[in-house]
């Protein structure tokens, strides 16, 4: 009867069902695509492929060529242009301070697509959280970056730098070219462990490649690759892929090296293993807001993982590219060295009071951060419609990419933008520019909470390096810069050094 009739017609029903699903999904896809295109009609830009967007127009390695291509597109399309990663993921790519200001002065959350892949690694800390959670964490953690708290770190930063410079003696004697990014990464990791966690890792003097730094590099690469490979935007596809397997393996390594795991066995007191002088404020993680709410264990883990990553990797990029810029510009290097020798005299270390006495060196650091921003871009997803100064509007839910690299190389903002010229940062020149023309630490309410920590560390590392060594460019090694969350170099950053006399 009925059952036998159904069984005979089952393939027919299944085929019809599949057809209905395909038609429905296709219709939804086409409508979403049309909506996304309509939303950016007011913003002309480079022509995308209907299916792949702009992914095929840029290399999969995110190298110099890609960054240069985005700068070139910026010359054709003033202020901003749309970029597509696959058929539906569209960003308005901003490369001008007047447009950047509109989004940076808001506290709109980080983009779900660009940043959600980081969650499995660093959790829902300050970088990724949004709304009330972000606001509460930011308020609870801000006192940890007060200058009184940062003061004693200068001595510890100097100690870590001196360990690195002692290791460089062999390069100074042999006049051999060497790769410095990995060395600087070890130094900044050593420094963040001492400053933030009162933990002496000895990571600079242990042999072999540091597993945590290797894991961070791998995670950064895989996050970038996943973002640019739109089928990997699907969690299940990525999870089942070989890249997903590599990501989980690297995340386990990174988590196993986080300080809270190392301290957990030795301190049984609740929260004790987390709060060991984190940011030298023993009670920081016991702080509570008006509702008597502190941070949960999970919250603390996320913040610690975030600070471990952001506290060493961004500063390593900043210091490495600054040393490279000074090697390429010996005339500026000499002015810095003379200034540093005058301030430090016979000292081989640096004190808090010295940080404010090296203005030319600080201008050189800022110019290096302009040319090579450690975080070359950031992204937000707007929760309400946003209108820019020229009247063009984006709807709620749209994604916005802020190209820090593009803003810093914008020829309508910076004269001869590719030239290293620290005098751009003389006070009289700064006052003529938009405050959003130079945003290596972003700006507004979601700016980098650790920017003073990072600037202090850069000043200490560069001052002590220049006091001891002359940096020399090796023209056969030009960095091939790549975007891996952090600005890095595909072939490393290479220089030569030689010792300098204590007084020149």
């Amino acid at each position: 009867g009925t059952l036998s009739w159904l069984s005979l017609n089952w393939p027919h029903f299944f085929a019809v069902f599949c057809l209905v699903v395909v038609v429905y999904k296709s219709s939804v896809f086409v409508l979403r695509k049309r909506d996304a295109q309509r939303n950016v009609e007011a913003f002309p830009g480079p022509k995308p492929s209907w299916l792949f967007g702009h992914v095929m127009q840029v290399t999969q390695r995110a190298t110099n060529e890609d960054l240069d291509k985005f700068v070139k597109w910026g010359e054709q399309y003033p202020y901003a242009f749309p970029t597509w990663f696959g058929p539906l993921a569209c960003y308005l790519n901003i490369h001008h301070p007047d447009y950047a200001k509109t989004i940076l002065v808001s506290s709109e959350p980080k983009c779900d697509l660009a940043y959600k892949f980081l969650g499995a690694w660093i959790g829902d800390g300050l970088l990724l959280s949004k709304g009330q959670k972000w606001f509460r964490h930011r308020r609870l953690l801000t006192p940890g970056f007060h200058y009184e708290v940062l003061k004693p770190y200068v001595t510890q930063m100097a100690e870590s730098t001196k360990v690195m410079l002692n290791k460089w003696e062999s390069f100074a004697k042999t006049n051999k070219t060497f790769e410095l990014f990995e060395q600087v990464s070890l130094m900044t990791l050593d420094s963040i462990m001492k400053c933030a966690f009162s933990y002496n890792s000895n990571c600079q003097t242990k042999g072999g490649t540091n597993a945590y730094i290797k894991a961070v590099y791998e995670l950064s690469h895989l996050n970038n690759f996943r973002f640019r490979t739109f089928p990997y935007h699907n969690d299940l596809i990525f999870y089942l892929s070989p890249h997903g397997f590599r990501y989980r393996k690297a995340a386990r390594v990174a988590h196993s090296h986080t300080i809270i795991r190392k301290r957990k066995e030795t301190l049984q007191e609740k929260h004790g293993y987390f709060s060991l002088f984190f940011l030298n404020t023993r009670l920081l993680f016991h702080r509570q807001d008006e509702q008597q709410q502190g941070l949960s264990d999970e919250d603390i883990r996320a913040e610690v993982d975030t600070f471990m990553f952001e506290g060493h990797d961004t500063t390593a990029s900043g210091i490495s590219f600054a040393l490279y810029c000074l090697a390429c510009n010996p005339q500026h290097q000499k002015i810095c060295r003379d200034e540093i020798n005058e301030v430090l005299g016979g000292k081989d270390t640096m004190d808090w009071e010295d940080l404010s006495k090296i203005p030319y060196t600080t201008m050189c650091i800022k110019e290096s951060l302009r040319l090579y921003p450690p975080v070359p871009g950031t992204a937000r997803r707007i929760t309400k419609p946003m209108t820019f100064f020229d009247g063009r509007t984006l709807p709620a839910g749209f994604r916005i990419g802020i190209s820090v690299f593009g803003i810093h190389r914008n020829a309508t903002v910076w004269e001869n933008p590719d030239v290293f010229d620290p005098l751009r940062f003389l006070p009289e020149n700064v006052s003529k520019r938009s405050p959003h023309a130079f945003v290596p630490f972003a700006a507004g309410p979601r700016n980098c909470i650790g920017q003073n920590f990072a600037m202090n560390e850069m000043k200490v590392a560069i001052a002590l390096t220049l006091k001891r060594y002359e940096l020399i460019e090796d023209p056969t090694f030009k960095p091939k810069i790549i975007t891996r969350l952090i600005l890095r170099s595909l072939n490393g950053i290479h220089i030569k050094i030689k010792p300098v006399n204590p007084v020149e």
Side-chain angles (χ1 to χ4, degrees):
T2 308
L3 283 174
S4 59
W5 184 83
L6 273 173
S7 62
L8 285 171
N9 285 276
W10 170 245
H12 174 72
F13 285 135
F14 184 71
V16 170
F17 174 75
C18 288
L19 183 64
V20 169
V21 169
V22 168
V23 169
Y24 171 73
K25 289 280 189 186
S26 301
S27 304
V28 169
F29 175 83
V30 168
L31 288 170
R32 284 178 64 195
K33 175 82 176 170
R34 201 167 63 192
D35 278 350
Q37 287 172 323
R38 194 183 296 127
N39 290 333
V40 290
E41 272 176 349
F43 298 93
K47 188 171 173 58
S49 145
W50 193 87
L51 183 61
F52 296 106
H54 295 104
V55 169
M56 308 304 280
Q57 297 179 45
V58 291
T59 69
Q60 284 302 302
R61 303 183 85 166
T63 58
N64 292 55
E65 300 154 45
D66 288 359
L67 291 162
D68 291 343
K69 184 170 278 188
F70 274 82
V71 171
K72 285 274 182 292
W73 281 342
E75 290 167 8
Q76 289 175 257
Y77 308 103
Y79 299 111
F81 56 86
T83 48
W84 294 78
F85 294 88
L88 295 175
C90 181
Y91 285 78
L92 183 71
N93 186 74
I94 288 173
H95 57 90
H96 192 282
D98 293 348
Y99 255 55
K101 177 184 177 181
T102 308
I103 183 74
L104 289 173
V105 297
S106 74
S107 55
E108 293 289 43
K110 293 289 172 71
C111 168
D112 53 346
L113 179 59
Y115 288 88
K116 76 171 182 178
F117 307 142
L118 284 170
W121 168 19
I122 60 173
D124 199 21
L126 267 187
L127 183 66
L128 304 186
S129 58
K130 56 189 176 187
Q132 278 304 306
K133 180 175 183 178
W134 168 80
F135 184 75
R136 196 166 64 86
H137 283 214
R138 177 85 182 202
R139 200 171 44 175
L140 286 169
L141 292 170
T142 295
F145 292 91
H146 188 271
Y147 75 91
E148 286 292 346
V149 177
L150 297 179
K151 264 186 184 180
Y153 295 166
V154 173
T155 308
Q156 292 166 314
M157 290 167 177
E159 282 171 11
S160 296
T161 303
K162 281 190 276 186
V163 173
M164 178 181 77
L165 297 178
N166 288 341
K167 286 167 65 184
W168 288 8
E169 281 283 356
S170 58
F171 303 124
K173 286 172 185 164
T174 57
N175 197 33
K176 278 186 180 171
T177 300
F178 71 101
E179 200 287 308
L180 62 85
F181 200 115
E182 190 176 331
Q183 305 257 347
V184 174
S185 291
L186 282 170
M187 185 274 287
T188 57
L189 181 61
D190 188 24
S191 187
I192 192 76
M193 297 285 241
K194 283 178 186 166
C195 296
F197 307 106
S198 294
Y199 181 78
N200 196 346
S201 67
N202 297 314
C203 63
Q204 292 195 79
T205 49
K206 287 176 181 170
T209 308
N210 183 275
Y212 177 78
I213 286 173
K214 273 179 72 176
V216 166
Y217 190 90
E218 173 87 329
L219 289 162
S220 302
H221 163 65
L222 290 170
N223 265 292
N224 185 273
F225 184 73
R226 183 179 182 186
F227 175 67
R228 297 159 70 86
T229 311
F230 71 87
Y232 277 177
H233 293 182
N234 179 284
D235 289 340
L236 183 62
I237 292 172
F238 185 69
Y239 185 88
L240 296 173
S241 73
H243 293 100
F245 175 79
R246 278 169 56 191
Y247 188 90
R248 292 191 297 280
K249 186 179 174 185
R252 283 196 297 272
V253 173
H255 291 153
S256 71
H257 280 70
T258 301
I259 191 71
I260 50 180
R261 277 78 181 175
K262 294 182 185 303
R263 292 293 189 151
K264 196 168 183 179
E265 301 98 49
T266 53
L267 281 149
Q268 300 304 318
E269 174 199 347
K270 182 168 172 56
H271 289 322
Y273 51 87
F274 294 127
S275 60
L276 262 180
F277 295 108
F278 183 55
L279 307 172
N280 257 10
T281 316
R282 182 176 280 279
L283 298 176
L284 178 63
F285 279 138
H286 298 300
R287 284 175 56 83
Q288 297 177 331
D289 59 19
E290 293 81 8
Q291 283 75 45
Q292 303 300 304
Q293 275 191 300
L295 300 181
S296 69
D297 283 10
E298 190 183 339
D299 291 338
I300 294 164
R301 272 192 198 94
E303 299 302 355
V304 169
D305 282 324
T306 300
F307 281 106
M308 278 278 288
F309 160 55
E310 294 236 53
H312 96 273
D313 215 26
T314 51
T315 45
S317 175
I319 292 165
S320 299
F321 281 109
L323 293 173
Y324 173 74
C325 285
L326 290 166
C328 297
N329 294 276
Q331 70 281 24
H332 296 299
Q333 184 187 152
K334 185 177 187 322
I335 298 169
C336 291
R337 184 175 294 107
D338 291 344
E339 174 184 74
I340 289 156
N341 281 331
E342 191 177 327
V343 170
L344 298 186
K347 289 192 302 182
D348 69 340
T349 189
M350 201 158 187
D351 299 316
W352 172 263
E353 293 71 26
D354 301 325
L355 296 176
S356 59
K357 296 175 185 173
I358 49 169
Y360 199 87
T361 307
T362 304
M363 291 196 297
C364 286
I365 291 170
K366 287 182 176 178
E367 178 65 347
S368 169
L369 290 172
R370 181 188 71 81
L371 285 168
Y372 300 102
V375 181
T378 183
R380 305 281 184 88
R381 187 165 191 167
I382 54 177
T383 57
K384 48 188 177 290
M386 183 164 279
T387 303
F388 296 96
F389 79 96
D390 57 1
R392 291 189 286 183
T393 301
L394 286 176
F398 208 84
R399 299 181 178 103
I400 295 177
I402 302 138
S403 173
V404 176
F405 190 91
I407 292 168
H408 287 184
R409 301 266 184 153
N410 190 323
T412 66
V413 179
W414 305 91
E415 195 178 338
N416 300 322
D418 296 331
V419 173
F420 184 85
D421 178 11
L423 299 183
R424 300 178 198 274
F425 291 94
L426 283 169
E428 57 268 31
N429 292 334
V430 172
S431 64
K432 295 174 197 164
R433 279 193 305 269
S434 160
H436 294 89
F438 178 65
V439 283
F441 301 106
R446 288 199 76 127
N447 68 350
C448 171
I449 195 172
Q451 61 181 295
N452 291 328
F453 179 95
M455 277 302 290
N456 293 350
E457 184 161 31
M458 289 186 74
K459 288 180 187 180
V460 169
I462 285 151
L464 294 181
T465 303
L466 292 185
K467 183 169 173 62
R468 193 154 160 186
Y469 298 119
E470 182 183 337
L471 314 177
I472 303 153
E473 178 190 13
D474 182 342
T476 60
F477 283 99
K478 295 280 184 194
K480 295 179 181 172
I481 55 175
I482 52 170
T483 302
R484 292 285 182 271
L485 301 178
I486 306 303
L487 199 73
R488 301 175 179 275
S489 170
L490 198 61
N491 56 337
I493 299 177
H494 295 77
I495 61 167
K496 293 180 179 181
I497 57 171
K498 65 181 185 185
V500 293
N501 298 322
V503 180
E504 291 194 341

